[in-house]
Amino acid sequence: MSKKRILLIVTIFMIVLTAFRFGWIHLHAKPEHPPIEAGVLDLRGWDQLSDYAIGLDGEWEFYPNLLLNELGEQTESEYVQVPDDWTGTEGMEGSFGYGTYRLVIHVDDDLNETFGFRVHSIYSSSKFYVNGELIGQAGQPSDEKSSYEPLNNPYSAYVEIDGGNELEVMIQVANFHDPNEGGIGHSISFGLEEPLRSEMKLVEGIAIFACVIYLFHALYGFVLFLIGNRDRRLFFFSVVLLCTVIGTFIGERFIFEWFSFSFEWRNDILYVAGIIGGYSLLQCIRDFLPRFMTRKVLTLYEIACLISLVLVLILPVSLNLRIEAIYLTLMLLPTLLLIALMFKSTIAIDQDRIFLLLASIAAVGSLFWLVAMHTFNMMMVSYPFDLLIALTCLSTYWFKQYFNRLKESQQLATKLTEADRQKDQFLADVAHEMRNPLHGIINISQAVSEREKDQLTERSRQDLTLLNDVGRRMSLLLNDLLELARFRENRITLHKKAVSVQSAASAVISMLSYMVDERPITLRQDMSDELPPAVADENRLIQILFNLVHNAIKYSESGDIVIRATYENERIHLAVEDQGQGMTAADIEAIFQPYEQVRGTQSNEGGFGLGLSICKQLVELHGCTLNVDSTLDKGSIFSFTLPVASESVGEHNQVTPVIEENSSWNEVAAITNEPQSDVAGTIHLLVVDDDRVNLKVLESVFFEEYYQLCTVVSGALALEEIDREKWDIVISDVIMPQMTGYELTEQIRKNYSMTELPVLLLTAYNHDIDIEAGFRAGANDYVSKPVNGLELKARVESLVDLKKSVKEALRLEAAWLQAQIKPHFIINTFNAIVALSRIDLEKMDGLIEELSQYIRYSIHFQNADDMIPLKDELQLVRSYVTIEQERFPDYFEVEWKVDETLELSVPPLVIQTIVENAIQHGLLKRPKRGLLEVKVHDRGSFVEVSVSDNGHGIEKSRIHHLLDRGEESMHSGIGLANTNYRLKQLFGRGLQLESELGVGTSVSFKIPK
């Protein structure tokens, strides 16, 4: 900030401060009152005496070297100004001596009130007489020093006038201690009792309020010093404020009315507070001092302060008063230096320090006003606002510094967070890139080992096995890195369900058995077959046990590694015990931190030190705690608990195991190349990847004869192959130049549905956003690289099975349409015709006509499109209902409420199926004659079709299953479930079914126009 600007701000600030002070003086100024002349104050006729207390400043009568309480006839006197030092007064030798002040006050005759006097400071002892009566004193005035007692304390005195109009005031004063001043040093206030007390309370209240604020800031600074980084400036700032409070109480002189201090102690406390305050202030600004001052000048000042403190404590008060100027200089020097340093630092260092400069000016200004008032005996109501403004400026600076530091901290935290995120992303990217070629090596080496096993020598076979072992170990390390990144991104979600702990333990032992094949270590589990299932995420439970057992193998050379599980208090207690090298207490404190490992001579397998950290976090995600108990050279026990899945211990037999007991988990990341397919015929695969190495890896995975593989290196070539040949499935990489896997999938979906040509996407990234983008493009499935060959083949075969299942479903759909003309229905109808031929030929002819129409429409519908005219569907329904009424004449009747003018199309056999269901399962089970209602109404934007009956009804628990295609087909064929499915496919909504057992059923649907 420029010097001119600073000077302008400072000038404006000082003008404002001065204006405030003079405004305060004007606000509390006393009204004009009669003057004191020749020792007489005449207040008769002055009406404002009842509202104000006035200062008795003026020309008093003074009797030097006399202590009088009443006036004698031949007593000589002179007139002196009060308040003022009596030094230089005729008859007085310096400030030492004694004398009597006299003042006569005339008041109105009718004022029968109590009058009060407030004495602020008289050097150095006094007695106060009114009309010859002693009403107050401080110390003991005397004409001899030996009998004199100094005490310059403020006091108030009150006197009541009964029937008079004159107050004769006589004040005896003696001073043999203070060499600087003697006599009445400050104005004496006079007035009626109530106004005088109000003024005293105002002055006292303002001072106490200001001191409370100072003390609060002092306490605040001291607390920050204790709990913060012990910045000495905070401590010294608190000391400065405490000294200010002491100076305020002594300066305003209230403390002497609350506590009894001797004349000596009063002055000593004031000097000590001033010196310590000046020293503390200099310590606050020490860092701003030039270098030459910090060494020499500061040292000299500190020595001077120390000497002064010693002198204050050992010298008598009279000598301390003589060298008072030295003490004041030590106190004022830092204040003057403060302004200069703040001015300089504001220019050169930080413009925010302008607030420190303004605070310094306000504080120093208040100090100089105090000195001026003391020097010139100025009477003024306590004015603490300069110091309060100084504190406000300091607080403003502190808050600005706080918010600046907060902003810097937030920016730094943002940068650190971003750097940490970039680090994690870098590790994840490196791990992804390393996993891809690593698993390519594993898959190809395993494929070669299986394909060429008859031609390989024993040495080559061992080398390939070693290559796979090393690859698997590296894969585990990379998996730990990726898992840690997922934890830090909060991308770990648990899918809890009932899990067989026995199966999980068996899976882990199978996975890690290859690591102890040639070592004297035994892997086993110790748990009851009756152990109930636990509530956990099965994959994460396996991961926890896998990491714990892998860690036990890593730090063991021999012995048993046991997975134990017990059932107690509705919880499963799991533990992994080993007889390895164990850990110290210090190791136990550190092992759960990322990248921390127990350093020992027994483990030579390396690693990142992430396994136990991941275990701990996974266990905590399950709401449990991972505990460890270890003894050096004896082994370790890692334990945690899980809740049971049910109250019955025996119900665990109903839980599907995590893996089959006889499954082989020896290959964690490689493939099992034994044929796994149950799919009949050749599977035609189109593989798309711009990396030819990846294509070779996939060729090795799908080497069996029943896989017909075609590889291309771009999306455009893949589209050409799709146009040229028929494929069972497309496997595509996501990240490719020119056309990504997402774009290729979108192009395929323009011509082929998800069931007509499945698409399986491969990518090195498996973040949620990538998976979501793949499914939005139309992919059937998503597999992350590096590819697990066994998983990839299983997913491919599942998608091919799905495609063939859809074809089979379509064929069954056609068969269902043909099955609508049920053989037993035809036979029963013919039997009814034969019966009618014997009793009613006319009805027989009508029934034959209806049967012929029913058969004709049914056969026509088999070859119809997805939609048929509504009138044709209704004609089929009428024929069917007529036949059923002839067969069961006493069972039901029909009401048709159909808008015959409607011209729209409906799916074939939809209404007929509903009507048939109402008759067969509702009305024919009713013991009495029932009613069937068929309604077709125009509702504006749609047509509503409903079929209602008052038949047997349906249990509410079965309504959902009747409309579920899978459930219904298991019990009662296709029926309503297939109708509901077709309506949903065509119109987006299916059947609305309402039923009550014993009351009836209503089935409806809506057809948009």
Side-chain angles (χ1 to χ4, degrees):
M1 188 178 292
S2 66
K3 186 182 296 185
K4 291 183 178 180
R5 187 177 180 184
I6 295 174
L7 290 174
L8 177 62
I9 293 175
V10 168
T11 302
I12 296 174
F13 183 71
M14 293 179 66
I15 292 174
V16 171
L17 287 182
T18 306
F20 279 173
R21 182 174 286 271
F22 279 109
W24 181 261
I25 294 174
H26 177 73
L27 180 65
H28 294 88
K30 304 296 174 61
E32 193 73 24
H33 59 82
I36 299 176
E37 296 178 345
V40 177
L41 173 62
D42 191 352
L43 295 177
R44 288 173 293 191
W46 193 64
D47 298 333
Q48 293 177 307
L49 182 61
S50 60
D51 299 322
Y52 293 94
I54 61 174
L56 298 179
D57 300 343
E59 193 177 48
W60 286 52
E61 192 174 2
F62 179 64
Y63 299 88
N65 301 317
L66 291 174
L67 296 177
L68 307 174
N69 57 12
E70 60 183 16
L71 188 62
E73 295 181 359
Q74 298 180 348
T75 304
E76 295 184 0
S77 66
E78 59 181 283
Y79 295 104
V80 297
Q81 286 295 319
V82 173
D84 196 5
D85 181 12
W86 66 23
T87 302
T89 302
E90 184 177 351
M92 302 298 297
E93 298 180 0
S95 61
F96 291 152
Y98 57 94
T100 302
Y101 290 89
R102 178 176 180 270
L103 175 67
V104 177
I105 304 173
H106 297 286
V107 297
D108 292 329
D109 294 337
D110 56 350
L111 264 179
N112 296 324
E113 299 282 350
T114 300
F115 291 89
F117 298 85
R118 174 67 177 176
V119 176
H120 298 280
S121 177
I122 298 179
Y123 303 102
S124 291
S125 62
S126 63
K127 283 186 176 181
F128 202 108
Y129 293 89
V130 176
N131 295 336
E133 178 185 357
L134 178 65
I135 63 172
Q137 76 178 81
Q140 182 63 51
S142 175
D143 55 0
E144 298 289 339
K145 185 177 181 180
S146 58
S147 59
Y148 148 87
E149 293 181 7
L151 186 64
N152 185 8
N153 285 354
Y155 57 90
S156 300
Y158 298 95
V159 63
E160 184 176 353
I161 299 180
D162 293 326
N165 62 353
E166 182 179 285
L167 296 171
E168 182 185 28
V169 178
M170 302 191 72
I171 304 175
Q172 297 179 2
V173 179
N175 175 40
F176 295 102
H177 273 78
D178 193 337
N180 300 318
E181 290 187 82
I184 300 175
H186 293 274
S187 293
I188 297 175
S189 297
F190 168 75
L192 295 178
E193 181 179 9
E194 184 176 350
L196 184 63
R197 290 187 183 274
S198 298
E199 182 179 289
M200 291 168 54
K201 288 181 179 179
L202 173 65
V203 174
E204 184 176 347
I206 291 175
I208 292 175
F209 171 74
C211 289
V212 169
I213 294 179
Y214 303 154
L215 287 173
F216 175 78
H217 281 80
L219 179 63
Y220 178 70
F222 187 68
V223 170
L224 287 180
F225 168 75
L226 292 178
I227 66 176
N229 57 358
R230 297 299 176 96
D231 189 343
R232 295 169 65 249
R233 291 175 298 179
L234 290 171
F235 172 78
F236 285 114
F237 174 75
S238 298
V239 173
V240 170
L241 290 179
L242 286 175
C243 293
T244 302
V245 171
I246 293 173
T248 301
F249 277 123
I250 293 178
E252 296 293 342
R253 311 176 69 80
F254 301 124
I255 195 170
F256 302 127
E257 293 188 273
W258 303 335
F259 304 100
S260 178
F261 288 97
S262 67
F263 184 80
E264 291 82 0
W265 271 108
R266 187 206 70 173
N267 286 277
D268 289 349
I269 292 173
L270 185 61
Y271 295 148
V272 169
I275 295 170
I276 292 177
Y279 172 80
S280 300
L281 179 60
L282 192 61
Q283 296 301 317
C284 290
I285 62 175
R286 184 172 187 162
D287 294 339
F288 299 101
L289 294 173
R291 289 186 178 180
F292 75 91
M293 292 188 66
T294 57
R295 294 182 180 179
K296 296 182 179 180
V297 178
L298 188 60
T299 303
L300 290 175
Y301 179 81
E302 291 174 350
I303 293 173
C305 288
L306 180 61
I307 294 174
S308 298
L309 287 175
V310 173
L311 292 177
V312 167
L313 296 177
I314 64 175
L315 292 178
V317 65
S318 58
L319 292 179
N320 279 328
L321 287 169
R322 290 186 182 276
I323 60 174
E324 184 180 57
I326 297 176
Y327 304 149
L328 290 176
T329 301
L330 290 175
M331 181 182 68
L332 293 176
L333 273 178
T335 61
L336 298 175
L337 191 61
L338 174 65
I339 296 177
L341 291 176
M342 291 301 102
F343 184 83
K344 183 178 179 181
S345 65
T346 304
I347 297 174
I349 301 175
D350 183 6
Q351 65 178 7
D352 286 344
R353 292 187 179 179
I354 186 67
F355 294 104
L356 294 180
L357 176 60
L358 299 180
S360 305
I361 292 172
V364 174
S366 176
L367 182 61
F368 277 98
W369 269 98
L370 185 64
V371 173
M373 291 169 60
H374 178 78
T375 303
F376 300 105
N377 294 321
M378 298 172 60
M379 185 65 182
M380 177 178 158
V381 176
S382 179
Y383 182 80
F385 299 106
D386 281 351
L387 289 178
L388 294 179
I389 291 172
L391 287 179
T392 303
C393 291
L394 282 174
S395 300
T396 303
Y397 175 76
W398 287 343
F399 278 114
K400 284 184 69 69
Q401 291 298 302
Y402 168 76
F403 286 118
N404 288 339
R405 298 293 182 271
L406 178 62
K407 184 178 180 180
E408 292 174 2
S409 300
Q410 290 174 340
Q411 291 174 347
L412 181 60
T414 302
K415 291 180 180 178
L416 292 175
T417 302
E418 178 62 20
D420 187 61
R421 188 197 65 79
Q422 290 178 354
K423 180 261 296 179
D424 291 338
Q425 188 63 44
F426 171 76
L427 290 176
D429 291 343
V430 170
H432 277 300
E433 294 300 324
M434 290 179 67
R435 286 178 74 196
N436 207 29
L438 173 63
H439 282 267
I441 294 171
I442 295 173
N443 290 332
I444 291 176
S445 62
Q446 185 68 26
V448 171
S449 179
E450 292 293 330
R451 186 174 62 246
E452 310 293 338
K453 58 184 177 181
D454 295 333
Q455 286 78 27
L456 291 174
T457 64
E458 183 63 26
R459 177 69 178 272
S460 298
R461 192 159 36 250
Q462 291 178 356
D463 289 343
L464 285 173
T465 302
L466 178 61
L467 178 62
N468 274 277
D469 290 343
V470 173
R472 283 194 292 265
R473 191 173 301 161
M474 289 183 65
S475 177
L476 292 176
L477 297 179
L478 296 179
N479 286 340
D480 284 345
L481 272 178
L482 293 173
E483 196 71 13
L484 183 65
R486 294 189 188 99
F487 271 109
R488 292 189 174 179
E489 294 175 6
N490 294 321
R491 292 193 293 113
I492 300 296
T493 302
L494 299 183
H495 302 283
K496 295 183 180 181
K497 60 181 180 181
V499 178
S500 171
V501 178
Q502 302 95 322
S503 297
S506 299
V508 171
I509 291 174
S510 298
M511 282 189 274
L512 294 171
S513 60
Y514 75 95
M515 296 184 67
V516 298
D517 285 344
E518 298 180 0
R519 299 170 64 181
I521 296 176
T522 302
L523 299 181
R524 62 185 179 89
Q525 66 182 65
D526 180 12
M527 56 189 73
S528 170
D529 292 337
E530 298 299 319
L531 196 69
V535 177
D537 184 312
E538 57 184 12
N539 292 327
R540 297 303 179 183
L541 177 59
I542 290 179
Q543 184 178 0
I544 294 169
L545 295 176
F546 181 95
N547 283 351
L548 292 177
V549 175
H550 182 269
N551 186 74
I553 295 173
K554 182 178 178 180
Y555 291 101
S556 298
E557 284 195 346
S558 61
D560 291 346
I561 297 176
V562 185
I563 304 177
R564 301 187 189 277
T566 57
Y567 172 72
E568 184 179 352
N569 296 329
E570 299 299 323
R571 298 189 73 83
I572 305 296
H573 296 257
L574 292 101
V576 175
E577 304 177 14
D578 66 70
Q579 298 172 349
Q581 70 181 50
M583 293 176 287
T584 64
D587 291 332
I588 294 175
E589 291 292 330
I591 55 173
F592 293 121
Q593 299 298 321
Y595 307 108
E596 290 288 341
Q597 290 180 290
V598 177
R599 303 300 176 184
T601 58
Q602 298 185 24
S603 175
N604 59 359
E605 300 197 20
F608 292 123
L610 298 175
L612 291 179
S613 175
I614 292 172
C615 277
K616 180 176 182 293
Q617 295 182 71
L618 288 175
V619 170
E620 290 174 350
L621 282 178
H622 282 82
C624 310
T625 303
L626 182 59
N627 302 307
V628 58
D629 183 16
S630 183
T631 304
L632 196 62
D633 298 327
K634 291 187 179 180
S636 304
I637 302 175
F638 290 86
S639 61
F640 60 97
T641 63
L642 292 172
V644 296
S646 63
E647 296 181 359
S648 174
V649 176
E651 290 180 2
H652 72 283
N653 292 325
Q654 301 175 4
V655 179
T656 303
V658 178
I659 62 166
E660 294 295 329
E661 289 292 330
N662 57 357
S663 297
S664 174
W665 277 78
N666 290 332
E667 290 138 6
V668 177
I671 64 167
T672 298
N673 284 302
E674 296 179 2
Q676 301 292 328
S677 177
D678 293 326
V679 180
T682 301
I683 298 177
H684 297 272
L685 292 88
L686 178 61
V687 181
V688 190
D689 198 320
D690 63 312
D691 191 338
R692 297 185 183 275
V693 174
N694 290 339
L695 294 176
K696 288 295 183 182
V697 172
L698 291 174
E699 287 178 357
S700 299
V701 172
F702 297 102
F703 74 92
E704 289 91 346
E705 292 180 358
Y706 58 87
Y707 290 114
Q708 186 67 41
L709 195 71
C710 176
T711 59
V712 293
V713 294
S714 69
L717 293 176
L719 292 176
E720 292 178 7
E721 289 295 331
I722 291 172
D723 293 336
R724 186 181 303 115
E725 301 288 343
K726 290 187 177 296
W727 303 97
D728 293 315
I729 189 171
V730 176
I731 302 176
S732 174
D733 187 22
V734 170
I735 308 301
M736 296 186 298
Q738 298 177 351
M739 183 183 293
T740 66
Y742 301 140
E743 294 170 339
L744 174 61
T745 304
E746 290 173 351
Q747 292 296 323
I748 292 174
R749 288 292 165 257
K750 291 180 179 180
N751 300 315
Y752 299 92
S753 68
M754 296 181 70
T755 56
E756 290 173 336
L757 182 56
V759 177
L760 178 66
L761 294 180
L762 305 177
T763 183
Y765 297 90
N766 60 353
H767 298 159
D768 292 344
I769 190 171
D770 302 306
I771 297 173
E772 182 181 354
F775 287 127
R776 282 203 306 265
N780 295 69
D781 207 347
Y782 201 98
V783 177
S784 61
K785 295 180 182 179
V787 175
N788 182 304
L790 179 62
E791 178 188 1
L792 179 60
K793 289 197 291 186
R795 292 192 183 224
V796 166
E797 291 169 7
S798 296
L799 291 174
V800 174
D801 283 340
L802 175 63
K803 178 180 178 180
K804 294 189 175 183
S805 297
V806 172
K807 288 184 177 180
E808 182 67 10
L810 294 175
R811 188 187 65 80
L812 291 175
E813 192 83 295
W816 169 79
L817 290 172
Q818 295 175 359
Q820 294 305 304
I821 307 177
K822 300 176 182 178
H824 68 272
F825 173 77
I826 301 296
I827 294 172
N828 290 336
T829 303
F830 277 122
N831 289 335
I833 292 172
V834 171
L836 286 173
S837 67
R838 298 173 182 172
I839 58 177
D840 194 335
L841 293 177
E842 186 176 348
K843 284 188 177 182
M844 180 192 73
D845 292 338
L847 188 57
I848 293 173
E849 178 63 24
E850 296 295 341
L851 179 61
S852 64
Q853 287 192 33
Y854 179 84
I855 295 174
R856 183 173 68 253
Y857 276 111
S858 296
I859 296 174
H860 170 70
F861 288 172
Q862 294 179 27
N863 300 317
D865 296 329
D866 291 341
M867 306 289 285
I868 63 170
L870 175 63
K871 62 180 181 179
D872 292 347
E873 173 75 6
L874 291 175
Q875 186 59 50
L876 174 67
V877 174
R878 284 191 174 96
S879 298
Y880 173 79
V881 171
T882 301
I883 293 172
E884 290 296 271
Q885 281 183 312
E886 289 296 334
R887 291 178 57 204
F888 307 99
D890 298 323
Y891 278 79
F892 68 93
E893 59 183 22
V894 184
E895 288 187 5
W896 299 88
K897 299 179 180 179
V898 179
D899 189 346
E900 301 293 347
T901 62
L902 288 172
E903 295 289 340
L904 77 157
S905 298
V906 297
L909 303 176
V910 170
I911 302 177
Q912 192 274 338
T913 302
I914 300 172
V915 171
E916 180 180 355
N917 184 78
I919 294 173
Q920 297 295 327
H921 300 289
L923 295 172
L924 294 184
K925 293 182 178 181
R926 179 182 170 89
K928 297 180 181 180
R929 187 178 181 86
L931 175 64
L932 175 68
E933 289 184 321
V934 180
K935 301 177 183 178
V936 181
H937 292 302
D938 188 351
R939 302 297 187 189
S941 60
F942 63 90
V943 173
E944 184 178 29
V945 179
S946 67
V947 178
S948 304
D949 68 79
N950 58 353
H952 181 264
I954 307 170
E955 295 178 1
K956 290 187 177 181
S957 60
R958 293 190 61 234
I959 291 177
H960 172 73
H961 298 297
L962 288 175
L963 299 181
D964 185 86
R965 203 173 187 190
E967 295 288 341
E968 234 273 299
S969 61
M970 294 172 59
H971 302 286
S972 58
I974 299 172
L976 290 178
N978 194 283
T979 301
N980 182 61
Y981 175 77
R982 285 196 294 150
L983 288 171
K984 284 184 176 181
Q985 293 294 314
L986 290 170
F987 306 127
R989 63 177 65 183
L991 296 174
Q992 298 294 320
L993 195 155
E994 298 178 359
S995 182
E996 184 175 351
L997 198 64
V999 177
T1001 304
S1002 175
V1003 182
S1004 63
F1005 61 92
K1006 298 175 182 178
I1007 304 173
K1009 290 185 177 180

